[in-house]
Amino acid sequence: MNRGYLPALTGFRAVAALLVFLFHYRTAAGWLPPGLEGAWRALASQLNLGVSLFFTLSGFLLCRLYYAAPWPGARRFWQRRFARIYPLFFLLTTLQFLFHPALKGLRPAVWWPEYLLNISLLKGFSHRWHLTGIGPAWSLTVEECFYLLLPVLFWLAHRFTPRIWAGCVLALVLLGLGLSALLRPIGWLETPHFTLMVTFFGRSAEFLVGAAFALLPAGRLARATHWGLLLSTLVVGLLMGIARHYGVAAAIDTWPGMALNNWGLPWATGLLLYGLTTEPSWLSQVLSSRPLQVLGRSSYAFYLLHLSVVADFIQGRLHRHVPQLPAVLSLFLLLVTAAVALHYLVEKPVHRWLTQAALSK
């Protein structure tokens, strides 16, 4: 299995981050013709599925990197993931609490408990707290749970068969529902829907389906990119239909929508990822282009920035400096610029330093 750098998947990360941005700024569509605005909002309200794309991509990539390779050991693996994820998150979360307008002037003792829940990544286990700080960072709690369990999941697959992961998904769902019943009186995992929608208990299939597709040999599936795109489009259409049927904006807020997003979409995404890595296509060429490589490498910074005090600061000054562009486009371009600078000036150097420090021990 070729585990080398895959430029198309870096571009795929940029697309996933863009979808999440469009979901969060879907109401800023005043620049569209009136006849298109309603249709756009109906579509954009389902684009939180960009988070699902990130999860499935994570499972796919980590399985390619580590499953058939010499295992570096759980400690070394966790050190690498810590160096990749945590420093930028810690920096931006701290800035969020120091400079957020709602917290300015308050003594640290007032917001310190909430800050600790954020930097410890525990906030993702509580409906009350999961959108505090940098809201989208709730997904990092899910990611970190996957990192913590990955050595066990690999051991099970090597000891038995990767098919055992299906049983792991079911076990995690049942465990999550049980913990929800147990912990909701004290304000954690408050509802079954929240537990399955926001925590690893309900999102594990996205990672493990991606991992399963990474294990398939090249050539096993024909025209995978084509079928992956077709199935992804079908899923989006079904999500829009579910939202319309239930009278909600985002289909994932309903049980059928959540089930389709968490347990149906990963199969389409996994098929698409498999195609991008095993067969030439126009989509692979586009995603491998130089601009999307830069955007993909800085997508983590962009993801954290796009709903933060940095985004608030930019929005507060947009009309003064760039009145000729739609506000959401101006915001996007400025956030991309900030994310690229943050990646190359902070994220990448810190990651390299921490990785080298860990290797020297």
Side-chain angles (χ1 to χ4, degrees):
M1 184 187 299
N2 178 19
R3 297 185 301 275
Y5 175 67
L6 300 167
L9 299 192
T10 299
F12 187 86
R13 289 173 55 195
V15 172
L18 173 62
L19 294 180
V20 176
F21 173 85
L22 293 174
F23 168 74
H24 284 129
Y25 289 93
R26 61 192 182 277
T27 58
W31 53 277
L32 286 172
L36 294 179
E37 189 167 340
W40 162 249
R41 291 192 184 186
L43 170 62
S45 293
Q46 316 316 317
L47 297 185
N48 51 2
L49 59 80
V51 175
S52 179
L53 302 188
F54 275 123
F55 290 163
T56 304
L57 176 62
S58 182
F60 187 91
L61 283 174
L62 291 180
C63 193
R64 283 184 65 94
L65 285 171
Y66 292 110
Y67 187 81
W71 178 246
R75 177 185 173 188
R76 183 62 56 83
F77 168 75
W78 290 329
Q79 286 174 333
R80 290 176 181 175
R81 302 320 301 166
F82 176 88
R84 173 69 182 87
I85 295 294
Y86 196 76
L88 189 61
F89 163 73
F90 178 82
L91 171 65
L92 293 179
T93 298
T94 302
L95 291 176
Q96 183 80 1
F97 277 85
L98 289 175
F99 296 105
H100 195 282
L103 300 175
K104 271 189 175 182
L106 296 178
R107 293 179 294 106
V110 175
W111 50 260
W112 188 256
E114 185 175 312
Y115 173 69
L116 288 179
L117 286 173
N118 273 263
I119 62 170
S120 66
L121 293 173
L122 292 175
K123 72 166 189 168
F125 293 110
S126 169
H127 184 273
R128 178 183 177 186
W129 303 110
H130 79 290
L131 295 179
T132 60
I134 296 176
W138 66 263
S139 62
L140 297 187
T141 304
V142 184
E143 282 277 353
E144 294 299 324
C145 287
F146 178 59
Y147 299 157
L148 289 173
L149 287 178
L150 189 62
V152 175
L153 294 168
F154 277 179
W155 179 85
L156 287 171
H158 284 297
R159 178 68 176 81
F160 302 100
T161 170
R163 292 188 182 92
I164 200 171
W165 288 340
C168 292
V169 170
L170 178 59
L172 285 165
V173 168
L174 295 176
L175 177 61
L177 293 175
L179 288 174
S180 176
L182 182 67
L183 298 178
R184 75 182 65 165
I186 59 173
W188 295 93
L189 304 177
E190 292 94 329
T191 68
H193 187 270
F194 168 81
T195 300
L196 297 185
M197 183 174 71
V198 175
T199 75
F200 187 68
F201 299 111
R203 312 291 305 235
S204 62
E206 291 157 297
F207 296 92
L208 292 177
V209 169
F213 273 97
L215 296 179
L216 293 177
R220 173 67 64 85
L221 302 175
R223 301 189 69 193
T225 305
H226 170 83
W227 289 112
L229 280 174
L230 185 62
L231 287 175
S232 298
T233 303
L234 176 61
V235 168
V236 173
L238 289 172
L239 289 171
M240 292 174 67
I242 290 171
R244 184 166 56 250
H245 175 75
Y246 283 90
V248 298
I252 199 172
D253 291 331
T254 70
W255 281 99
M258 182 191 66
L260 181 60
N261 183 86
N262 292 12
W263 302 312
L265 177 62
W267 294 94
T269 306
L271 187 60
L272 181 56
L273 295 174
Y274 174 84
L276 290 173
T277 57
T278 59
E279 59 190 22
S281 66
W282 64 268
L283 182 59
S284 178
Q285 291 180 337
V286 170
L287 294 177
S288 300
S289 63
R290 178 63 180 171
L292 282 176
Q293 295 305 288
V294 174
L295 294 176
R297 293 188 185 102
S298 58
S299 60
Y300 178 54
F302 178 83
Y303 181 76
L304 293 178
L305 284 173
H306 84 278
L307 286 183
S308 69
V309 290
V310 176
D312 294 340
F313 176 83
I314 292 173
Q315 287 187 90
R317 286 152 181 79
L318 275 178
H319 293 295
R320 185 186 312 168
H321 300 290
V322 283
Q324 70 277 17
L325 292 176
V328 69
L329 177 58
S330 303
L331 175 64
F332 173 74
L333 294 175
L334 292 171
L335 283 176
V336 165
T337 302
V340 171
L342 195 59
H343 170 72
Y344 285 102
L345 297 178
V346 178
E347 180 186 2
K348 187 175 180 180
V350 171
H351 175 255
R352 184 188 300 116
W353 177 77
L354 288 175
T355 302
Q356 291 173 347
L359 290 174
S360 66
K361 292 182 180 179

